[in-house]
């Protein structure tokens, strides 16, 4: 019901991120490709709000427009990539 409550794609993805963390992982990041193929960060979630601010700062520093090199690699590979430890 939570995912179907909005027809807005970004809002639905933000709700999905909120469902994923902390149930399946400590962190959840949702990136989408726009019509021109450009990736953008839709949401970054962690149960601890201080870590959300830190995560956003790290993502902003590590890539362009909030897209990390790992996310770009996943997009380019067209398949999931396991990152066992985020340092």
């Amino acid at each position: 019901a939570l995912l179907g409550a909005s027809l807005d794609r970004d809002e639905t993805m933000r709700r999905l991120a909120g469902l994923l963390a902390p149930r399946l992982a400590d962190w959840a990041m949702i990136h989408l490709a726009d019509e021109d193929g450009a990736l953008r960060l839709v949401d970054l979630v962690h149960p601890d709000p201080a870590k959300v601010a830190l995560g956003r700062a790290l993502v902003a520093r590590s890539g362009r427009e909030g897209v990390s090199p790992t996310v770009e690699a996943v997009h380019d590979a067209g398949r999931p990539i396991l990152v066992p430890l985020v340092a």
Side-chain angles (χ1 to χ4, degrees), residues 38-49:
L39 293 170
R40 64 183 172 80
L41 177 64
V42 174
D43 205 0
L44 181 149
V45 178
H46 190 281
D48 180 348

Side-chain angles (χ1 to χ4, degrees), residues 30-56:
I30 304 287
H31 291 79
L32 292 176
D34 288 331
E35 290 180 18
D36 63 358
L39 293 170
R40 64 183 172 80
L41 177 64
V42 174
D43 205 0
L44 181 149
V45 178
H46 190 281
D48 180 348
K51 289 189 177 181
V52 171
L54 174 64
R56 288 189 180 279

Side-chain angles (χ1 to χ4, degrees), residues 1-15:
L2 187 63
L3 293 177
S6 174
L7 296 177
D8 179 77
R9 179 180 70 168
D10 288 3
E11 178 60 26
T12 301
M13 293 298 105
R14 282 190 286 277
R15 290 172 189 221

